[in-house]
Amino acid sequence: MKIALVGNQNSGKTTLFNRLTGLNQKVGNWAGVTIEKKSGTLKGSQHEIVDTPGVYSLNAYTLEEQVTHSFIESNECEMIINIVDATSIERGLYLTTQLLEHNKKVVVALNMADIAAKRGTEIDCEKLSNSLGVSVVKISAYKNIGMKELLMAIENAEIRSEQFIDCIREAKDNEEVAVIRYDFIEKIVEESIKVKKTITITEKIDKVILNRWLALPIFAVIMFLVYFLSVGIVGGLTVDLVGGLFESAGAGLSNWLISIGASGWTVSLLVDGILAGVGAVLAFVPQLIILFLLITLLETTGYMSRIAFTFDILFKKLGLSGKSLIPFIIGIGCSVPAIMSTRTIENKDERIRTVVMTPFVPCSAKLPIIALFSGFFFGNNAGLVSASLYFFSIIVIIISALLMKKFVFKNSSGTFISELPDYKMPSFSYVLKEVWDKVFAFIKKAGTIILLSSVVIWFLLSFSIKFEYGVDIQDSMLALIGKGLSWLFYPMLGTFSWEATVSAIQGLVAKEQVVSSMAIIAGLGSDMTEGILGSGVFAFFTSASAYAFMVFNLFSSPCFGAIAAMKKELGSTRKLLLAVTFQTTLALILSYIVYGVGLLIGG
Amino acid sequence: MLISVNIQLTQDFRFDIMLIKVNIGEFMNIVHLSDLKKGQRAKVVSLYNDNAELKQRLLDMGIAKGVVIKVKKTAPFGDPVNIELRGYQLCLRKKDLSQIDIEVIE
């Protein structure tokens, strides 16, 4: 039997889904975390549970509503677990009244019943169950309360047979239907629920967080902390530490391989190819742990919704929504989930603009590039320079938003519809799992795509076009490819460098691959004791071209993963091509300008 | 007990008077949800929005004729507005609130 898990956004569907199936799905404390349906098997049974995106109704206006609606309508779905937030029952039951009309078995799960009880809300499940005609169970998915009762209700669920609310048939328009539904709900809520008015902790916290004078400083401090701890000094220290470990591992491996008599190309493939390429990326793991930990905390506590609420007025002026800020912040970690999270933006134009601009945020994979160049060229000012790139990306987002508003989407007026959820203490185990998942995905990428690309790069670098091994890298296949395209990069580098050219292009595979590729080229082509940028092949870099090169990598087309996510959200290949062309052209122009300005100030 | 009944009656009476005022005064006395100040409560009289999709969304979120809405706070920089209805918190832009007609309760 297939069971659909249906409920409002932010009602705890995903938490319940994880409880019931044992899977670990993404949980957040802002509306719209689940964007596609996911399924898993109900623990201890054969039933399949399908987690659907959160919806407020089945009117099929939004994408999420369409996904949910068509699944419930299908013959596949035999039963519905309707999850209702016990702290806002009245609104939640609106969807329930619609679900009851689908001739499917329904069980209503009142989630967060513990929080509602703590606030003094008394819910009479039996009365509610009688009025609705289906079983109603109090649960707390987060605290694992009421699961046994819910499972029993699932086994004994029945289809409500009679027509649900009679007079709906006589309603003359949608508005009247909504009024009838809500009138019915008001009546049964009055009979079965007693609410006590209390000032919640959330209201007290909001007095500070959403205070006119404090909102902006608090946001600035939080974002600075995220930066300082992950990208800034603390994160930088961890990278140096792990990077050093890989370096000595490389030297050790090389010595050992030579001592056992391995052939020259084996040593080269393992040390200069694989270890250099993969190690350059893995050095960033501790930094990513910190970054993902902080972003997960922002997501689960409920602060994200406040940020959207606070900054909507500014984003409106840019033709965006306050909710655009959520993908931008998640984008500091990774563009892929960030692009997917744009689904919660109501207006289609605002959503498309946000999708196109999300990759402008320096994601964690771009960190290796930023760290490498700013560390080498700007010494004591490295922190300042890498911070400046974040501000650069903010300015570019503002300017391109204004450009798009003026030229591409002229007459659209957006809306902002957002719930303000209560603050929640994040669950320790969930946060750990979430961080582990993201970091593991990164490590997996290093072990698969980056490893493979590293081998390919090593191969293309070690062999000539006639497949002779051991040629000078100037005569390698990769050099040939790079030389053909290096004119594009001349205006930002001040020289023709096929090495930098091929590395930048590999940013398409994954942004961290840029650094991997540079490490392999430097290792094969020259002495690397002074680091990647100290080696002969990259000695041409000046601070001006270094900054310009960073700018190009920051704003050019994102990696394949993000491109796939963009295609899904934009909906057409044509729009995707337009977006990627826009991004790459902008990146080229900006990097040329940066280099020119850099030369003028004498960098 | 008696006192509470009394209050109930006066409130209903006040509603009637306001309704009459709105009818007589035609457009002059129509108040929009965007005019409501922090802490004030009002009852929705009608909502009109040329955007059918948006109107349906607002209906689905519980903003239907007769619902009582309280303004909790405005965003730190003046817009959107945080309103409370049906026991939950919703945020909407003033522009959209201005297309909802209300009668003020208190």
Side-chain angles (χ1 to χ4, degrees), chain A residues 382-436:
Chain A
L384 210 65
V385 168
S386 50
S388 76
L389 282 163
Y390 285 81
F391 285 105
F392 201 140
S393 81
I394 294 171
I395 293 166
V396 169
I397 286 172
I398 292 174
I399 293 172
S400 35
L402 289 174
L403 283 176
M404 282 196 243
K405 191 183 171 197
K406 192 141 176 65
F407 296 110
V408 194
F409 310 91
K410 283 173 208 156
N411 311 313
S412 78
S413 77
T415 42
F416 181 80
I417 303 175
S418 174
E419 265 192 81
L420 218 49
D422 282 347
Y423 289 104
K424 278 183 198 120
M425 251 332 247
S427 138
F428 183 68
S429 63
Y430 170 73
V431 171
L432 277 189
K433 262 182 171 172
E434 176 75 13
V435 172
W436 165 247

Tab-separated table of all heavy atoms in Angstrom, chain A residues 382-436:
chain	number	residue	atom	x	y	z
A	382	ALA	N	45.078	38.683	3.302
A	382	ALA	CA	44.320	37.610	2.660
A	382	ALA	C	42.857	37.588	3.119
A	382	ALA	O	41.942	37.466	2.311
A	382	ALA	CB	44.970	36.263	2.934
A	383	GLY	N	42.661	37.739	4.435
A	383	GLY	CA	41.301	37.707	4.980
A	383	GLY	C	40.457	38.816	4.387
A	383	GLY	O	39.309	38.611	3.983
A	384	LEU	N	41.059	39.995	4.299
A	384	LEU	CA	40.372	41.160	3.761
A	384	LEU	C	39.992	40.932	2.293
A	384	LEU	O	38.896	41.244	1.856
A	384	LEU	CB	41.311	42.367	3.872
A	384	LEU	CG	40.655	43.721	4.063
A	384	LEU	CD1	39.937	43.749	5.396
A	384	LEU	CD2	41.718	44.822	3.984
A	385	VAL	N	40.951	40.374	1.539
A	385	VAL	CA	40.718	40.144	0.116
A	385	VAL	C	39.610	39.106	-0.095
A	385	VAL	O	38.708	39.313	-0.900
A	385	VAL	CB	42.019	39.697	-0.589
A	385	VAL	CG1	41.718	39.184	-1.990
A	385	VAL	CG2	42.982	40.867	-0.659
A	386	SER	N	39.658	38.011	0.662
A	386	SER	CA	38.598	37.025	0.444
A	386	SER	C	37.251	37.584	0.890
A	386	SER	O	36.226	37.331	0.265
A	386	SER	CB	38.914	35.681	1.102
A	386	SER	OG	39.296	35.857	2.420
A	387	ALA	N	37.234	38.399	1.952
A	387	ALA	CA	35.982	39.036	2.356
A	387	ALA	C	35.491	39.968	1.255
A	387	ALA	O	34.296	40.045	0.973
A	387	ALA	CB	36.168	39.802	3.652
A	388	SER	N	36.430	40.656	0.599
A	388	SER	CA	36.038	41.610	-0.436
A	388	SER	C	35.314	40.901	-1.575
A	388	SER	O	34.439	41.474	-2.215
A	388	SER	CB	37.263	42.356	-0.968
A	388	SER	OG	38.008	41.529	-1.845
A	389	LEU	N	35.666	39.633	-1.813
A	389	LEU	CA	34.994	38.902	-2.887
A	389	LEU	C	33.526	38.647	-2.557
A	389	LEU	O	32.674	38.621	-3.442
A	389	LEU	CB	35.714	37.582	-3.152
A	389	LEU	CG	36.996	37.763	-3.971
A	389	LEU	CD1	37.879	36.559	-3.864
A	389	LEU	CD2	36.668	38.059	-5.428
A	390	TYR	N	33.235	38.446	-1.268
A	390	TYR	CA	31.832	38.267	-0.873
A	390	TYR	C	31.054	39.556	-1.108
A	390	TYR	O	29.923	39.547	-1.576
A	390	TYR	CB	31.735	37.809	0.582
A	390	TYR	CG	32.119	36.352	0.739
A	390	TYR	CD1	33.439	35.950	0.807
A	390	TYR	CD2	31.124	35.363	0.772
A	390	TYR	CE1	33.791	34.613	0.920
A	390	TYR	CE2	31.470	34.033	0.879
A	390	TYR	CZ	32.804	33.659	0.954
A	390	TYR	OH	33.134	32.335	1.047
A	391	PHE	N	31.702	40.703	-0.781
A	391	PHE	CA	31.021	41.976	-1.027
A	391	PHE	C	30.883	42.223	-2.527
A	391	PHE	O	29.875	42.730	-2.998
A	391	PHE	CB	31.769	43.121	-0.341
A	391	PHE	CG	31.557	43.135	1.133
A	391	PHE	CD1	32.539	42.706	2.006
A	391	PHE	CD2	30.328	43.532	1.657
A	391	PHE	CE1	32.323	42.683	3.376
A	391	PHE	CE2	30.102	43.509	3.024
A	391	PHE	CZ	31.101	43.086	3.885
A	392	PHE	N	31.922	41.833	-3.257
A	392	PHE	CA	31.884	41.932	-4.722
A	392	PHE	C	30.659	41.180	-5.246
A	392	PHE	O	29.901	41.683	-6.072
A	392	PHE	CB	33.167	41.321	-5.306
A	392	PHE	CG	33.498	41.790	-6.693
A	392	PHE	CD1	34.816	42.061	-7.047
A	392	PHE	CD2	32.519	41.955	-7.660
A	392	PHE	CE1	35.141	42.483	-8.323
A	392	PHE	CE2	32.844	42.384	-8.936
A	392	PHE	CZ	34.145	42.645	-9.263
A	393	SER	N	30.440	39.967	-4.724
A	393	SER	CA	29.320	39.176	-5.231
A	393	SER	C	27.987	39.827	-4.867
A	393	SER	O	27.038	39.790	-5.646
A	393	SER	CB	29.404	37.734	-4.741
A	393	SER	OG	28.907	37.622	-3.437
A	394	ILE	N	27.927	40.477	-3.702
A	394	ILE	CA	26.685	41.174	-3.330
A	394	ILE	C	26.415	42.301	-4.323
A	394	ILE	O	25.299	42.472	-4.819
A	394	ILE	CB	26.771	41.735	-1.891
A	394	ILE	CG1	26.850	40.578	-0.885
A	394	ILE	CG2	25.572	42.629	-1.585
A	394	ILE	CD1	27.142	41.001	0.540
A	395	ILE	N	27.472	43.065	-4.643
A	395	ILE	CA	27.304	44.186	-5.572
A	395	ILE	C	26.880	43.678	-6.949
A	395	ILE	O	25.978	44.233	-7.582
A	395	ILE	CB	28.621	45.002	-5.668
A	395	ILE	CG1	28.883	45.672	-4.320
A	395	ILE	CG2	28.548	46.041	-6.775
A	395	ILE	CD1	30.281	46.219	-4.165
A	396	VAL	N	27.526	42.589	-7.405
A	396	VAL	CA	27.169	42.040	-8.714
A	396	VAL	C	25.717	41.563	-8.722
A	396	VAL	O	24.985	41.781	-9.692
A	396	VAL	CB	28.127	40.883	-9.097
A	396	VAL	CG1	27.613	40.136	-10.307
A	396	VAL	CG2	29.510	41.438	-9.365
A	397	ILE	N	25.271	40.945	-7.619
A	397	ILE	CA	23.880	40.496	-7.547
A	397	ILE	C	22.940	41.694	-7.642
A	397	ILE	O	21.965	41.680	-8.391
A	397	ILE	CB	23.626	39.692	-6.250
A	397	ILE	CG1	24.271	38.310	-6.375
A	397	ILE	CG2	22.128	39.565	-5.975
A	397	ILE	CD1	24.262	37.496	-5.111
A	398	ILE	N	23.256	42.763	-6.914
A	398	ILE	CA	22.398	43.948	-6.938
A	398	ILE	C	22.338	44.531	-8.350
A	398	ILE	O	21.254	44.805	-8.884
A	398	ILE	CB	22.915	45.016	-5.947
A	398	ILE	CG1	22.720	44.506	-4.511
A	398	ILE	CG2	22.181	46.340	-6.143
A	398	ILE	CD1	23.320	45.403	-3.447
A	399	ILE	N	23.510	44.678	-8.983
A	399	ILE	CA	23.537	45.284	-10.314
A	399	ILE	C	22.819	44.392	-11.333
A	399	ILE	O	21.985	44.869	-12.101
A	399	ILE	CB	24.990	45.560	-10.762
A	399	ILE	CG1	25.588	46.651	-9.866
A	399	ILE	CG2	25.032	46.004	-12.225
A	399	ILE	CD1	27.059	46.883	-10.086
A	400	SER	N	23.091	43.094	-11.295
A	400	SER	CA	22.420	42.271	-12.313
A	400	SER	C	20.924	42.165	-12.038
A	400	SER	O	20.125	42.038	-12.971
A	400	SER	CB	23.071	40.893	-12.478
A	400	SER	OG	23.546	40.393	-11.289
A	401	ALA	N	20.527	42.233	-10.768
A	401	ALA	CA	19.086	42.233	-10.472
A	401	ALA	C	18.436	43.461	-11.086
A	401	ALA	O	17.379	43.370	-11.712
A	401	ALA	CB	18.862	42.201	-8.963
A	402	LEU	N	19.089	44.616	-10.917
A	402	LEU	CA	18.527	45.843	-11.473
A	402	LEU	C	18.489	45.784	-12.994
A	402	LEU	O	17.518	46.228	-13.613
A	402	LEU	CB	19.350	47.052	-11.001
A	402	LEU	CG	19.178	47.393	-9.516
A	402	LEU	CD1	20.131	48.507	-9.107
A	402	LEU	CD2	17.730	47.809	-9.228
A	403	LEU	N	19.547	45.219	-13.593
A	403	LEU	CA	19.570	45.086	-15.051
A	403	LEU	C	18.425	44.216	-15.538
A	403	LEU	O	17.712	44.561	-16.476
A	403	LEU	CB	20.907	44.472	-15.501
A	403	LEU	CG	22.111	45.402	-15.500
A	403	LEU	CD1	23.369	44.641	-15.880
A	403	LEU	CD2	21.877	46.558	-16.476
A	404	MET	N	18.249	43.067	-14.863
A	404	MET	CA	17.176	42.160	-15.284
A	404	MET	C	15.817	42.797	-15.102
A	404	MET	O	14.923	42.627	-15.911
A	404	MET	CB	17.248	40.867	-14.474
A	404	MET	CG	18.327	39.938	-14.964
A	404	MET	SD	18.052	38.301	-14.317
A	404	MET	CE	19.501	38.097	-13.356
A	405	LYS	N	15.672	43.560	-14.008
A	405	LYS	CA	14.399	44.205	-13.732
A	405	LYS	C	14.076	45.193	-14.846
A	405	LYS	O	12.947	45.336	-15.271
A	405	LYS	CB	14.485	44.921	-12.388
A	405	LYS	CG	13.149	45.396	-11.862
A	405	LYS	CD	13.348	46.148	-10.568
A	405	LYS	CE	12.061	46.812	-10.128
A	405	LYS	NZ	12.302	47.841	-9.127
A	406	LYS	N	15.127	45.870	-15.326
A	406	LYS	CA	14.921	46.899	-16.328
A	406	LYS	C	14.696	46.311	-17.723
A	406	LYS	O	13.865	46.791	-18.474
A	406	LYS	CB	16.144	47.819	-16.346
A	406	LYS	CG	15.939	49.078	-17.132
A	406	LYS	CD	16.611	50.233	-16.398
A	406	LYS	CE	16.546	51.516	-17.143
A	406	LYS	NZ	15.553	52.246	-17.471
A	407	PHE	N	15.438	45.256	-18.043
A	407	PHE	CA	15.411	44.812	-19.436
A	407	PHE	C	14.675	43.501	-19.695
A	407	PHE	O	14.143	43.303	-20.772
A	407	PHE	CB	16.842	44.693	-19.965
A	407	PHE	CG	17.553	46.002	-19.998
A	407	PHE	CD1	18.585	46.273	-19.119
A	407	PHE	CD2	17.148	46.990	-20.891
A	407	PHE	CE1	19.222	47.501	-19.135
A	407	PHE	CE2	17.790	48.212	-20.918
A	407	PHE	CZ	18.822	48.472	-20.042
A	408	VAL	N	14.677	42.598	-18.735
A	408	VAL	CA	14.102	41.285	-19.029
A	408	VAL	C	12.672	41.125	-18.535
A	408	VAL	O	11.789	40.704	-19.254
A	408	VAL	CB	14.983	40.144	-18.475
A	408	VAL	CG1	14.548	38.824	-19.081
A	408	VAL	CG2	16.450	40.404	-18.795
A	409	PHE	N	12.446	41.471	-17.284
A	409	PHE	CA	11.093	41.312	-16.747
A	409	PHE	C	10.586	42.692	-16.370
A	409	PHE	O	10.793	43.145	-15.259
A	409	PHE	CB	11.094	40.454	-15.493
A	409	PHE	CG	11.826	39.157	-15.638
A	409	PHE	CD1	13.167	39.057	-15.328
A	409	PHE	CD2	11.148	38.024	-16.064
A	409	PHE	CE1	13.829	37.846	-15.444
A	409	PHE	CE2	11.804	36.818	-16.176
A	409	PHE	CZ	13.148	36.732	-15.873
A	410	LYS	N	9.938	43.340	-17.311
A	410	LYS	CA	9.625	44.736	-17.044
A	410	LYS	C	8.404	44.940	-16.158
A	410	LYS	O	8.383	45.771	-15.288
A	410	LYS	CB	9.442	45.482	-18.361
A	410	LYS	CG	10.778	45.785	-19.018
A	410	LYS	CD	10.573	46.369	-20.393
A	410	LYS	CE	11.755	46.045	-21.274
A	410	LYS	NZ	11.420	46.055	-22.670
A	411	ASN	N	7.353	44.166	-16.423
A	411	ASN	CA	6.087	44.521	-15.780
A	411	ASN	C	5.634	43.565	-14.687
A	411	ASN	O	4.463	43.353	-14.505
A	411	ASN	CB	4.969	44.590	-16.827
A	411	ASN	CG	5.378	45.408	-18.015
A	411	ASN	OD1	5.907	46.497	-17.834
A	411	ASN	ND2	5.169	44.891	-19.211
A	412	SER	N	6.548	42.944	-14.018
A	412	SER	CA	6.041	41.996	-13.038
A	412	SER	C	6.020	42.633	-11.664
A	412	SER	O	6.877	43.427	-11.304
A	412	SER	CB	6.908	40.751	-13.011
A	412	SER	OG	8.080	41.013	-12.301
A	413	SER	N	4.977	42.320	-10.912
A	413	SER	CA	4.964	42.781	-9.537
A	413	SER	C	4.835	41.567	-8.648
A	413	SER	O	3.965	40.736	-8.851
A	413	SER	CB	3.823	43.759	-9.305
A	413	SER	OG	2.609	43.091	-9.197
A	414	GLY	N	5.700	41.464	-7.723
A	414	GLY	CA	5.779	40.249	-6.924
A	414	GLY	C	4.937	40.296	-5.670
A	414	GLY	O	4.264	41.278	-5.373
A	415	THR	N	4.941	39.190	-4.963
A	415	THR	CA	4.243	39.121	-3.696
A	415	THR	C	5.153	38.453	-2.687
A	415	THR	O	6.137	37.834	-3.042
A	415	THR	CB	2.974	38.260	-3.787
A	415	THR	OG1	3.283	37.120	-4.555
A	415	THR	CG2	1.831	38.999	-4.354
A	416	PHE	N	4.786	38.594	-1.445
A	416	PHE	CA	5.526	37.934	-0.383
A	416	PHE	C	4.486	37.329	0.549
A	416	PHE	O	3.699	38.054	1.159
A	416	PHE	CB	6.394	38.958	0.353
A	416	PHE	CG	7.221	38.372	1.463
A	416	PHE	CD1	8.407	37.722	1.182
A	416	PHE	CD2	6.807	38.482	2.786
A	416	PHE	CE1	9.176	37.192	2.207
A	416	PHE	CE2	7.578	37.956	3.809
A	416	PHE	CZ	8.760	37.313	3.521
A	417	ILE	N	4.428	36.013	0.579
A	417	ILE	CA	3.516	35.337	1.497
A	417	ILE	C	4.371	34.384	2.310
A	417	ILE	O	4.916	33.435	1.772
A	417	ILE	CB	2.430	34.533	0.755
A	417	ILE	CG1	1.645	35.446	-0.190
A	417	ILE	CG2	1.499	33.855	1.738
A	417	ILE	CD1	0.631	34.713	-1.044
A	418	SER	N	4.526	34.673	3.567
A	418	SER	CA	5.413	33.825	4.354
A	418	SER	C	4.897	33.666	5.766
A	418	SER	O	4.419	34.613	6.380
A	418	SER	CB	6.807	34.445	4.392
A	418	SER	OG	7.638	33.713	5.244
A	419	GLU	N	5.009	32.447	6.258
A	419	GLU	CA	4.682	32.217	7.655
A	419	GLU	C	5.855	32.634	8.510
A	419	GLU	O	6.994	32.629	8.057
A	419	GLU	CB	4.444	30.736	7.880
A	419	GLU	CG	3.005	30.334	7.815
A	419	GLU	CD	2.848	28.932	8.336
A	419	GLU	OE1	2.815	28.795	9.571
A	419	GLU	OE2	2.784	28.007	7.542
A	420	LEU	N	5.579	32.967	9.750
A	420	LEU	CA	6.652	33.230	10.691
A	420	LEU	C	6.614	32.096	11.718
A	420	LEU	O	5.866	32.144	12.676
A	420	LEU	CB	6.415	34.591	11.356
A	420	LEU	CG	7.621	35.467	11.642
A	420	LEU	CD1	8.536	35.607	10.450
A	420	LEU	CD2	7.187	36.814	12.141
A	421	PRO	N	7.409	31.040	11.495
A	421	PRO	CA	7.323	29.897	12.413
A	421	PRO	C	7.940	30.226	13.765
A	421	PRO	O	8.734	31.167	13.874
A	421	PRO	CB	8.150	28.817	11.696
A	421	PRO	CG	9.089	29.552	10.826
A	421	PRO	CD	8.407	30.834	10.447
A	422	ASP	N	7.582	29.460	14.771
A	422	ASP	CA	8.197	29.634	16.083
A	422	ASP	C	9.662	29.215	16.017
A	422	ASP	O	10.039	28.368	15.219
A	422	ASP	CB	7.485	28.752	17.119
A	422	ASP	CG	6.165	29.371	17.544
A	422	ASP	OD1	5.944	30.564	17.232
A	422	ASP	OD2	5.363	28.669	18.174
A	423	TYR	N	10.452	29.825	16.888
A	423	TYR	CA	11.850	29.390	16.987
A	423	TYR	C	11.889	27.980	17.542
A	423	TYR	O	11.053	27.607	18.370
A	423	TYR	CB	12.640	30.313	17.922
A	423	TYR	CG	12.886	31.676	17.339
A	423	TYR	CD1	12.161	32.777	17.765
A	423	TYR	CD2	13.850	31.857	16.361
A	423	TYR	CE1	12.379	34.035	17.226
A	423	TYR	CE2	14.081	33.113	15.816
A	423	TYR	CZ	13.339	34.197	16.258
A	423	TYR	OH	13.565	35.436	15.722
A	424	LYS	N	12.846	27.205	17.071
A	424	LYS	CA	12.979	25.837	17.572
A	424	LYS	C	14.423	25.576	17.942
A	424	LYS	O	15.336	26.033	17.273
A	424	LYS	CB	12.564	24.838	16.501
A	424	LYS	CG	11.068	24.640	16.429
A	424	LYS	CD	10.709	23.583	15.395
A	424	LYS	CE	9.244	23.722	15.024
A	424	LYS	NZ	8.996	23.986	13.639
A	425	MET	N	14.610	24.805	19.015
A	425	MET	CA	15.954	24.328	19.343
A	425	MET	C	16.278	23.246	18.325
A	425	MET	O	15.532	22.296	18.183
A	425	MET	CB	15.917	23.682	20.728
A	425	MET	CG	16.614	24.437	21.856
A	425	MET	SD	17.965	25.488	21.408
A	425	MET	CE	19.261	24.599	22.194
A	426	PRO	N	17.379	23.385	17.594
A	426	PRO	CA	17.689	22.330	16.626
A	426	PRO	C	18.035	21.013	17.323
A	426	PRO	O	18.611	21.020	18.400
A	426	PRO	CB	18.899	22.865	15.879
A	426	PRO	CG	19.327	24.098	16.561
A	426	PRO	CD	18.366	24.449	17.626
A	427	SER	N	17.635	19.921	16.705
A	427	SER	CA	17.952	18.616	17.279
A	427	SER	C	19.415	18.294	17.000
A	427	SER	O	19.877	18.369	15.864
A	427	SER	CB	17.028	17.560	16.679
A	427	SER	OG	17.744	16.385	16.370
A	428	PHE	N	20.115	17.948	18.054
A	428	PHE	CA	21.549	17.689	17.972
A	428	PHE	C	21.849	16.600	16.942
A	428	PHE	O	22.693	16.769	16.058
A	428	PHE	CB	22.061	17.280	19.355
A	428	PHE	CG	23.537	17.067	19.409
A	428	PHE	CD1	24.414	18.142	19.270
A	428	PHE	CD2	24.061	15.798	19.602
A	428	PHE	CE1	25.781	17.952	19.324
A	428	PHE	CE2	25.432	15.596	19.654
A	428	PHE	CZ	26.290	16.678	19.516
A	429	SER	N	21.112	15.496	17.035
A	429	SER	CA	21.410	14.366	16.152
A	429	SER	C	21.092	14.721	14.705
A	429	SER	O	21.804	14.337	13.782
A	429	SER	CB	20.617	13.136	16.576
A	429	SER	OG	19.244	13.388	16.434
A	430	TYR	N	20.018	15.514	14.507
A	430	TYR	CA	19.683	15.892	13.136
A	430	TYR	C	20.778	16.760	12.529
A	430	TYR	O	21.213	16.531	11.395
A	430	TYR	CB	18.338	16.627	13.066
A	430	TYR	CG	18.138	17.218	11.701
A	430	TYR	CD1	17.842	16.387	10.621
A	430	TYR	CD2	18.339	18.572	11.450
A	430	TYR	CE1	17.723	16.888	9.343
A	430	TYR	CE2	18.234	19.082	10.172
A	430	TYR	CZ	17.918	18.240	9.136
A	430	TYR	OH	17.820	18.744	7.867
A	431	VAL	N	21.231	17.756	13.306
A	431	VAL	CA	22.264	18.660	12.798
A	431	VAL	C	23.521	17.867	12.429
A	431	VAL	O	24.097	18.058	11.365
A	431	VAL	CB	22.586	19.765	13.834
A	431	VAL	CG1	23.805	20.567	13.411
A	431	VAL	CG2	21.393	20.683	14.010
A	432	LEU	N	23.904	16.934	13.315
A	432	LEU	CA	25.088	16.120	13.037
A	432	LEU	C	24.932	15.338	11.738
A	432	LEU	O	25.816	15.321	10.886
A	432	LEU	CB	25.336	15.141	14.187
A	432	LEU	CG	26.099	15.694	15.381
A	432	LEU	CD1	26.460	14.562	16.328
A	432	LEU	CD2	27.355	16.429	14.940
A	433	LYS	N	23.762	14.698	11.592
A	433	LYS	CA	23.494	13.891	10.395
A	433	LYS	C	23.554	14.742	9.140
A	433	LYS	O	24.128	14.350	8.126
A	433	LYS	CB	22.094	13.280	10.499
A	433	LYS	CG	22.081	11.845	10.993
A	433	LYS	CD	20.635	11.404	10.984
A	433	LYS	CE	20.443	9.938	11.249
A	433	LYS	NZ	19.003	9.645	11.404
A	434	GLU	N	22.920	15.908	9.228
A	434	GLU	CA	22.830	16.803	8.087
A	434	GLU	C	24.231	17.249	7.641
A	434	GLU	O	24.559	17.219	6.462
A	434	GLU	CB	21.966	18.013	8.490
A	434	GLU	CG	21.835	19.088	7.455
A	434	GLU	CD	20.905	18.716	6.321
A	434	GLU	OE1	20.175	17.713	6.458
A	434	GLU	OE2	20.932	19.421	5.299
A	435	VAL	N	25.060	17.646	8.615
A	435	VAL	CA	26.413	18.095	8.304
A	435	VAL	C	27.205	16.930	7.706
A	435	VAL	O	27.889	17.080	6.692
A	435	VAL	CB	27.116	18.643	9.566
A	435	VAL	CG1	28.580	18.921	9.291
A	435	VAL	CG2	26.422	19.906	10.040
A	436	TRP	N	27.060	15.763	8.320
A	436	TRP	CA	27.779	14.593	7.830
A	436	TRP	C	27.393	14.293	6.378
A	436	TRP	O	28.249	14.039	5.534
A	436	TRP	CB	27.517	13.393	8.735
A	436	TRP	CG	27.924	12.099	8.111
A	436	TRP	CD1	27.094	11.078	7.724
A	436	TRP	CD2	29.248	11.676	7.759
A	436	TRP	NE1	27.823	10.077	7.168
A	436	TRP	CE2	29.147	10.402	7.168
A	436	TRP	CE3	30.509	12.268	7.881
A	436	TRP	CZ2	30.252	9.702	6.697
A	436	TRP	CZ3	31.607	11.569	7.412
A	436	TRP	CH2	31.479	10.303	6.831
